Amino acid sequence: MVESFIDCLINKKDADIDAHLWEYGTSAFAANLLQSSIGADPISIAAFKDSKCALDTNVLMNIGLEASEYHKTLKRLDTIFNQLNVTTGYFRVTEQEYINTVSNLNEEILKNVSRFDYSVIKETDDHFIQSALRRECYTYEDFQTFCQEISTPPKFIESKQKIVLFDDDPQLDSIVEIAGNDENKKTELNTIYKNVTGKDKRDAPLVHDVGIIAGIEYYRQNEKAFILSQEISV
């Protein structure tokens, strides 16, 4: 039975399983930090206190989308990161990936809203549109406003923890860019991704992921830093 369970986790490409694992993982992560913050585990609290957390594009989007299945889980980190003085932000390459991705999705949203009746739109299971509906979007203009609101990364996880652009070091962008053009690093990361998913990662996301790993490694030369992502390759 144990072998079957492990095979299911590793070899089955199931979105529901992935969602449950992400929910469990981030909940456990938050719970561990919360427990640490009240003194139960001083080793864990020391590992995260006064550190930097780089948020990946997928995490930024899920923080800003109320209908995302991961939204509430991520929001739990707001108080915890604030208490531990974790500086939460994103690299410039992540900002650009977020803006480009959301821009393309927004175009698709507005195209569908203009083509279909509200009775059809409200039945979609797309978490972007469902998030817009939770903000009481009804008219085309309402959806335009929603698209504008999510066009840039969120400023807070919830209400306490700010999300900032990591632009505090003049060398950082160069290091991220150079790493993103390193074919050996891209090949190594793609191999990890392919071993799990059975397919190659697209080049643009691969360049991004290699870049942010290099960025966080650069920060780690002088301080504690980590990446929060839903990507297996990161």
Side-chain angles (χ1 to χ4, degrees):
M1 182 174 292
V2 174
E3 289 79 2
S4 297
F5 176 69
I6 294 173
D7 179 68
C8 177
L9 295 184
I10 296 176
N11 298 320
K12 297 297 192 304
K13 312 301 183 280
D14 190 307
D16 289 336
I17 291 176
D18 290 343
H20 285 307
L21 288 175
W22 171 254
E23 171 74 19
Y24 173 79
T26 48
S27 294
F29 176 59
N32 184 55
L33 290 181
L34 182 59
Q35 186 181 44
S36 298
S37 69
I38 59 176
D41 188 351
I43 296 177
S44 292
I45 190 171
F48 292 101
K49 187 172 177 59
D50 302 320
S51 65
K52 269 191 172 74
C53 174
L55 303 178
D56 198 0
T57 311
N58 44 53
V59 173
L60 288 170
M61 287 195 290
N62 285 317
I63 287 173
L65 296 173
E66 297 89 331
S68 164
E69 65 231 272
Y70 311 117
H71 180 77
K72 290 182 179 179
T73 303
L74 289 166
K75 291 290 187 178
R76 295 171 192 162
L77 297 175
D78 184 68
T79 298
I80 298 165
F81 279 0
N82 186 260
Q83 290 178 348
L84 295 179
N85 194 36
V86 175
T87 301
T88 314
Y90 50 87
F91 296 109
R92 200 177 302 278
V93 66
T94 301
E95 178 186 44
Q96 197 56 56
E97 184 179 70
Y98 177 99
I99 290 172
N100 292 340
T101 302
V102 173
S103 176
N104 292 333
L105 291 169
N106 282 345
E107 287 182 14
E108 192 67 26
I109 290 171
L110 293 177
K111 182 171 68 175
N112 288 331
V113 169
S114 67
R115 291 175 56 190
F116 298 104
D117 188 76
Y118 179 80
S119 61
V120 176
I121 294 295
K122 71 177 183 178
E123 296 302 324
T124 181
D125 59 359
D126 177 82
H127 56 270
F128 278 81
I129 288 181
Q130 287 300 319
S131 295
L133 296 178
R134 293 193 185 187
R135 299 187 194 186
E136 300 184 347
C137 291
Y138 184 81
T139 67
Y140 182 83
E141 289 72 22
D142 291 337
F143 282 94
Q144 280 184 312
T145 299
F146 167 77
C147 289
Q148 181 60 39
E149 290 171 348
I150 66 169
S151 62
T152 56
K155 303 298 184 185
F156 289 85
I157 293 182
E158 181 70 78
S159 59
K160 300 177 181 178
Q161 186 66 22
K162 288 184 178 180
I163 301 174
V164 300
L165 172 65
F166 288 151
D167 60 353
D168 55 337
D169 189 313
Q171 298 185 64
L172 184 61
D173 288 343
S174 176
I175 287 169
V176 170
E177 182 179 358
I178 290 171
N181 292 320
D182 188 318
E183 294 300 325
N184 290 330
K185 290 183 178 180
K186 289 198 293 182
T187 298
E188 290 173 4
L189 198 63
N190 185 60
T191 299
I192 296 172
Y193 181 84
K194 191 172 183 177
N195 284 342
V196 177
T197 66
K199 58 184 179 181
D200 290 312
K201 195 176 184 71
R202 291 186 298 110
D203 189 64
L206 196 58
V207 169
H208 169 270
D209 292 354
V210 169
I212 66 172
I213 291 172
I216 215 70
E217 288 176 346
Y218 174 70
Y219 273 139
R220 284 175 179 164
Q221 294 175 16
N222 298 300
E223 59 187 312
K224 294 175 287 188
F226 63 100
I227 298 171
L228 185 61
S229 174
Q230 292 173 247
E231 282 289 333
I232 55 172
S233 56
V234 177

